[in-house]
Amino acid sequence: MNEQSESPAALSAGHRKRNLIIAAVAVVVLVAAGITTGVVVADANARAEAQAAADAQAEAERVQAEQDHADALEEAQTALEAGEFRYVESEPYGDAAKREELRTEIDSLTKLLDSSEPTTEELKDAATSVDIAILLVGSKEQRDAEVAAAAEKALDNQYETMAASFEGNGMSPPFDGREYCEYLHEYYTPDNVYPMLWGDQTESRQIDIAAVRVYCPEFAPKMDMVLGGFYDGDHIVGQTIQPGTYRTATGVKDCYWERNDGSGDILDNNFVGAAHNGVTVTVNSGEGFTTNGCGLWIPAG
């Protein structure tokens, strides 16, 4: 027997070993191939997903751009209509230069809308320019408010000037001018403010003359009547009071009055216990006139 020859068992074991090695290598190759294929497939899927996402984003942006353009067209048309309305409305009150600027912006927007392919940004800019021009022209309500504010300011200036001229004359107003008239309107009427309020000497000396003249002139007739009168005391006709006929308020009680010749001799006098219709007296220049308990005497005319 040849020594180099192997036994059948050994040969069989060798074949099995080779087969195992070949199988292992095959498994490794297959696994590697599978991994490579998986990577390739995953990469392809990722690229496909990325492309799909990009396509979806592009489509969304296209749709949004179309919507933005449609919105810009609508806003431009709205601005154009508003501009035309304000231009016509503002003719009676609007500043000429500002209206002309509005006209220019309206015409520019009209030209843009009539063009073949205005861009979204062009439409937005043109519409904004018209909107700004509309605001600069202002509405009738704004103009009316401005006029009213200017009138109020003019009254305030008039009041300040007039009030300054009354300083030091004893008529010291206790309120701001507008507040004084608000006070009169709240509690009195032009008919009853005398004698209800101004029949009192202290209140009469606190009349805000400037306020009544400027802010509530409906009270002026009674105010002038009160200011043209005088209260109890000793008076010299022609100097401290003017000649004429005077009367007291109605319902006067315990009123004494006396006319004298200026030297102390009594020309006429009377003590009135009660006078439902008031007391009336005529005084002449150069006479003295004394009154006590009669309150305010006002011109009877």
Side-chain angles (χ1 to χ4, degrees), residues 16-34:
R16 285 196 301 271
K17 185 176 181 180
R18 284 195 299 271
N19 290 338
L20 289 172
I21 291 172
I22 292 171
V25 170
V27 169
V28 170
V29 171
L30 289 173
V31 170

Side-chain angles (χ1 to χ4, degrees), residues 50-291:
Q51 184 60 48
D55 292 343
Q57 179 65 27
E59 179 62 16
E61 291 177 355
R62 184 190 66 78
V63 172
Q64 185 61 53
E66 289 181 354
Q67 184 61 52
D68 290 345
H69 191 73
D71 291 343
L73 280 171
E74 183 177 353
E75 292 170 2
Q77 189 61 44
T78 299
L80 184 64
E81 292 172 0
E84 291 287 6
F85 176 81
R86 182 58 54 82
Y87 183 78
V88 173
E89 177 196 49
S90 63
E91 183 176 4
Y93 67 82
D95 177 79
K98 293 178 181 178
R99 292 185 72 245
E100 183 59 31
E101 179 64 24
L102 175 58
R103 181 74 264 166
T104 299
E105 298 299 343
I106 291 172
D107 292 343
S108 295
L109 179 55
T110 301
K111 183 178 180 181
L112 182 63
L113 287 170
D114 290 339
S115 64
S116 57
E117 295 182 357
T119 67
T120 300
E121 290 304 315
E122 288 174 336
L123 290 169
K124 288 182 177 180
D125 290 344
T128 299
S129 296
V130 171
D131 289 339
I132 292 174
I134 289 173
L135 291 176
L136 292 176
V137 170
S139 66
K140 184 177 185 302
E141 290 75 14
Q142 290 173 321
R143 178 59 176 171
D144 290 344
E146 291 173 359
V147 171
E152 291 296 308
K153 181 61 177 176
L155 287 178
D156 291 342
N157 292 339
Q158 181 183 354
Y159 170 74
E160 291 174 6
T161 300
M162 188 177 297
S165 69
F166 291 127
E167 288 184 2
N169 68 352
M171 308 298 285
S172 176
F175 305 111
D176 168 84
R178 290 186 181 277
E179 291 179 354
Y180 185 75
C181 282
E182 289 171 2
Y183 164 71
L184 293 182
H185 281 125
E186 183 173 0
Y187 296 104
Y188 304 96
T189 69
D191 292 329
N192 70 18
V193 68
Y194 171 82
M196 287 185 65
L197 176 67
W198 292 341
D200 178 85
Q201 184 172 5
T202 299
E203 290 292 344
S204 295
R205 292 194 178 279
Q206 293 180 336
I207 294 175
D208 189 337
I209 302 173
V212 174
R213 291 270 189 262
V214 175
Y215 298 124
C216 50
E218 61 273 20
F219 287 92
K222 286 294 178 67
M223 181 186 72
D224 291 337
M225 183 179 67
V226 170
L227 295 179
F230 55 89
Y231 288 89
D232 291 336
D234 296 322
H235 304 280
I236 301 175
V237 183
Q239 296 183 25
T240 60
I241 64 174
Q242 296 302 309
T245 300
Y246 295 87
R247 63 180 176 83
T248 66
T250 58
V252 69
K253 295 180 180 180
D254 299 329
C255 165
Y256 175 77
W257 61 267
E258 172 188 304
R259 292 173 50 228
N260 61 70
D261 62 3
S263 300
D265 294 332
I266 296 175
L267 300 176
D268 194 7
N269 68 341
N270 194 9
F271 178 82
V272 181
H276 178 72
N277 294 324
V279 178
T280 301
V281 176
T282 298
V283 295
N284 304 301
S285 182
E287 295 179 349
F289 186 63
T290 298
T291 170

Side-chain angles (χ1 to χ4, degrees), residues 31-44:
V31 170
I35 292 174
T36 300
T37 302
V39 171
V40 171
V41 171
D43 185 58

